[in-house]
Amino acid sequence: MPTSRREGPRPGVETRERLLVTAEALFMEQGFRSTSLREITARAKVNLAAVNYHFGSKDELVREVLRRRLGPLNAARVQYLDRLEAESEGALPVERILEALLVPALRITRSPLEQGATVLRLLGRAFSEPGDYMKDFLPDQYREAARRFQAALARALPHLPEAELVWRMHFTFGAIAYVMAGDDALKLVAQCEAEASDDPEAIVQRLVPFLAAGFRAPLSPPAGRSSDRAAA
């Protein structure tokens, strides 16, 4: 009877994975727009036709690189929120909801298998370098997680109108993306190396109170009201 052998990765699968890993590294280093397909294929040591065969286009390659990172991250966020809500007898405080949003990302940075710094900076670039290929993709990737977190925040802040809550969530995701994109902008603002700027836990400890205060801020006057008072 012939002995069974464990088959190695199929050539097509290996090529596809090599393209994804290489593209991810280059996108993180240079950005999506600045990275050419020729650079990706040269570093991956495959021919240009391989991109078209496996992905169809550079835009779809970008989306697939992000899809395989965003899917697990957002699933982990929802699972974390589910656990907190199951343990709570009432509405969660805003800080705990933000914890569910941020801690899964923090865990990625601590995992040597996930190349955390690379992953988070890559995701930060997706928000800071939007393009046509992101217009529908990012909302689709975040839709379920955003729906769950919006519902939790609405229970925590029942006095906030839905439109105001959505705006504050928009600002929150923007702040998180800004932080995830790396510390270059922080150095520009601070004109120096900020203390513990590369410590994810320290960043979360600063970011949660800041964002929570934003969610609890008083409602702004209706548009035009302040200018009317100034004119009077």
Side-chain angles (χ1 to χ4, degrees), residues 23-38:
E24 179 178 89
L26 283 168
F27 291 152
M28 189 280 291
E29 293 170 15
Q30 303 177 173
F32 300 108
R33 294 191 189 92
S34 299
T35 301
S36 70
L37 286 181
R38 291 193 180 279

Side-chain angles (χ1 to χ4, degrees), residues 28 120-125 128 176-184:
M28 189 280 291
L120 294 187
R121 188 157 192 176
L122 175 77
L123 298 181
R125 281 192 179 277
S128 60
I176 293 171
Y178 183 86
V179 171
M180 287 167 60
D183 63 356
D184 294 341

Side-chain angles (χ1 to χ4, degrees), residues 2-94:
T3 57
S4 61
R5 293 184 304 171
R6 180 177 295 178
E7 294 183 2
R10 289 173 294 169
V13 174
E14 183 180 337
T15 298
R16 187 178 191 277
E17 181 65 16
R18 195 187 314 153
L19 281 168
L20 286 169
V21 170
T22 303
E24 179 178 89
L26 283 168
F27 291 152
M28 189 280 291
E29 293 170 15
Q30 303 177 173
F32 300 108
R33 294 191 189 92
S34 299
T35 301
S36 70
L37 286 181
R38 291 193 180 279
E39 287 178 288
I40 295 169
T41 54
R43 185 180 290 191
K45 295 184 170 63
V46 301
N47 60 54
L48 196 59
V51 175
N52 292 327
Y53 177 79
H54 289 286
F55 304 102
S57 67
K58 178 185 173 182
D59 287 357
E60 187 54 36
L61 173 60
V62 171
R63 285 190 285 263
E64 186 58 31
V65 165
L66 292 170
R67 189 180 289 118
R68 71 181 194 144
R69 295 301 189 179
L70 278 172
L73 174 57
N74 284 330
R77 285 166 161 164
V78 171
Q79 289 169 6
Y80 197 110
L81 182 62
D82 285 343
R83 180 177 61 79
L84 291 181
E85 289 183 328
E87 295 170 354
S88 176
E89 295 182 357
L92 288 171
V94 174

